Structures are given as structure tokens and as C-alpha cells.
Amino acid sequence: MAEIIQRDGTWVFDGDALRLTPGRDRNVSLLRRTLGELVVPLGALAGISFEQGKKTGRLRLRLREGADPLLHASGGRLTEPNDPYQLLVESDRYGVAEYFTDEVRGALLLDKVPSDPADAYLLPGPPVPLSVSAGDGTASFDGEQIRLEWNWKTEDAKAAAGTRTLAVTDVVAVEWQPAVGLENGHLRFTVRGADTKAPPKYDPNSVELWGFKKDPLMALVAAAVQARLPHPSAAPVDVPPKQLEEQPRDDHDALLRRLRELGELHRTGVLTDEEFTMAKQAVLKRL
């Protein structure tokens, strides 16, 4: 077993998983403290690194793409203080950090853990129920329904519709974007049959964020919802692989029509780039 204890947190590796516990130091971010302890199975890791500095160093875990709903929902936009897969290391513990890194790397090689994208979530996502107030509203999620409530700062046209309740089964995508510079951030839910290009300020399925302290907590709501959506490696709901396989191989006209339909769905934003590529490749194989 390898262990490193710092004010920023404690990491323990038992050969099968890493247990990441945030520290109690006042500099530990609100997101990490709210998220709490994480257990990362070895199979979810793509690598580990240790970077030394003059006064402090940093341990970093690199997870396999698609292994963690938090990283997927946040799009890799969590800043260093909020990233639960980084640990600040004091200079007198550099030797311990190097030993910890070697132990994890050795286990990855011994177990022949692949570094390619995962085809299922290997972490469960934040626990529910979960409720966060930030920006122009409050987002709550109980595992089945998302509730969006507005505050006095909400744009009148958006607040006029009242509280929103969305069934997770109707959500096809969720995105958290932090505020950067003069650009506001958002938590946005894309609902089946009700896609919109409206700015978050006016979108009744979005919470607008302004860069305040609690903004990153909205990423936890996004991750909890993402964990209950189909994995990004899965085929889009609108184009199940079985449907494509059932089409006659020589029905080229039908397949060409399907390609045009997919192109239209992609153009209008119903399908993401990744979903469009996967569906198109499946159709092309039939041709």
C-alpha cells in the first residue's frame, strides 16, 4: 500500500484502487470538499505524473476518456483548485510522491490497464439528492428529476415560465461551462424535442453563471445527471445499431436517405459531432 498525506488531501493506493480524500485546509476548494472522498478503480486510470516545483509539487491523475461523468460533463474545464484528481505536495514529501507515482505506474503495467477510452462509466458520479444555488437559479437533482428554480436576478422572460421540472429520461445532454473573463458560464440541459440556441440568460433549461464561488458546484449537478445518461460511446437513441443492421444490404436508397437525415439532425444540433460520426459510420458500413 502507498499513502501520501498532505494539507491539500490524502491519497491512498491499495493496488486495486486509489482513495482520494480532500484535506481540511482552508485553501481546499468548495467543490472538492462538497464532492468528498473519491474511490478511483485502477482500471479507470490512463496515467499518473508528479511535477516538482521550488516550494510545492503536484500529483496528477489522468483518467481514461469516458471513465468519469464529472470530467465528461465539465469538458475538462475544471481549474486546478477544483480538480479532484490533483494533489498539492509540499517539498519535504517529494520522495513520498515519487514512490507513490512509481507504485501506481507499476500496477498499471502489471495489470495491463488500457489507456484507450472507456466504453462505460467507471465512477458513479456525485451522490444524490443534490441541490446547488448559484447564478440566476437553483438546480436540484434527485436521481430522476431535475428542478430549476429562479431567483430575483433571473431575466423576467425566463422567470415568467416558473419553476422547471425535467425528467432525466427527457434529457439528451448536459453541459457545464465556467465563466471566463467577461463571458458568463452556464449549466445547460438539452431536452429531447426542445433544443434551443438561446443564450443561457433566456434559456429556461439553463442556469446562467457569473463566476462566483459556488459556480463550480453546478458541475456536480451536471455530473450526477451525466452519470444517468447513456454513455457517450453508446449509439444515439435516435439511431440504434439494430435498426441499421435490419436494413437490407442492397437498399441503398434507404441508406442514402438515412445519411441525409443524420446530416440534418447534426446540422440542427440534435446529434453531437461524436454521435453523428458514429451513426454515419454505421450507415456507411451497410453501403
Side-chain angles (χ1 to χ4, degrees):
M1 185 177 77
E3 180 181 60
I4 180 167
I5 303 174
Q6 294 291 276
R7 289 182 297 178
D8 194 41
T10 298
W11 285 12
V12 178
F13 177 56
D14 63 7
D16 295 318
L18 290 95
R19 190 175 298 273
L20 316 179
T21 306
R24 297 182 178 180
D25 188 78
R26 61 184 178 86
N27 292 323
V28 175
S29 75
L30 180 60
L31 182 145
R32 289 178 57 204
R33 285 187 273 122
T34 302
L35 184 59
E37 184 177 85
L38 284 175
V39 177
V40 183
L42 185 65
L45 286 185
I48 182 173
S49 63
F50 174 55
E51 304 164 2
Q52 293 190 16
K54 291 184 178 180
K55 295 183 178 180
T56 59
R58 195 174 294 273
L59 270 171
R60 299 178 189 267
L61 296 181
R62 183 166 56 89
L63 271 63
R64 295 171 60 191
E65 183 180 345
D68 180 26
L70 174 61
L71 293 183
H72 183 79
S74 61
R77 293 182 287 264
L78 288 174
T79 56
E80 285 190 355
N82 296 309
D83 188 343
Y85 302 113
Q86 298 188 29
L87 181 70
L88 203 62
V89 179
E90 297 171 13
S91 58
D92 61 349
R93 290 295 182 270
Y94 283 0
V96 178
E98 290 172 344
Y99 171 75
F100 190 95
T101 302
D102 290 342
E103 286 293 295
V104 175
R105 285 177 176 168
L108 288 171
L109 290 173
L110 186 64
D111 285 20
K112 298 180 180 179
V113 176
S115 59
D116 57 339
D119 58 8
Y121 291 124
L122 303 178
L123 283 88
V128 295
L130 184 62
S131 182
V132 176
S133 296
D136 68 353
T138 297
S140 305
F141 182 52
D142 62 6
E144 295 182 355
Q145 290 188 325
I146 302 152
R147 184 178 175 87
L148 302 178
E149 301 175 83
W150 313 117
N151 57 39
W152 64 273
K153 295 170 284 187
T154 309
E155 183 69 23
D156 290 345
K158 179 174 170 180
T163 298
R164 297 281 289 170
T165 300
L166 308 173
V168 71
T169 51
D170 292 333
V171 175
V172 296
V174 57
E175 178 191 52
W176 171 79
Q177 171 75 53
V180 179
L182 298 177
E183 295 291 329
N184 292 338
H186 62 261
L187 170 67
R188 186 194 295 274
F189 300 97
T190 302
V191 179
R192 183 178 289 105
D195 192 19
T196 177
K197 299 301 181 182
K201 182 177 183 178
Y202 303 103
D203 181 4
N205 296 326
S206 299
V207 176
E208 187 180 33
L209 304 173
W210 301 314
F212 297 148
K213 184 177 180 180
K214 290 188 177 181
D215 281 13
L217 296 183
M218 285 292 185
L220 300 183
V221 178
V225 174
Q226 184 66 55
R228 289 157 177 82
L229 298 181
H231 190 268
S233 68
V237 175
D238 294 316
V239 283
K242 288 185 179 180
Q243 283 187 6
L244 298 176
E245 293 172 2
E246 289 169 359
Q247 296 182 35
R249 288 184 177 272
D250 58 350
D251 190 358
H252 285 197
D253 288 343
L255 293 175
L256 290 173
R257 285 196 301 272
R258 190 57 178 158
L259 280 176
R260 287 194 292 270
E261 291 172 0
L262 290 173
E264 181 63 18
L265 290 172
H266 180 243
R267 186 185 67 79
T268 57
V270 174
L271 294 181
T272 65
D273 292 344
E274 183 179 4
E275 290 170 339
F276 172 67
T277 300
M278 291 176 60
K280 183 177 70 172
Q281 287 175 348
V283 175
L284 291 175
K285 285 181 182 179
R286 305 304 301 169
L287 285 170

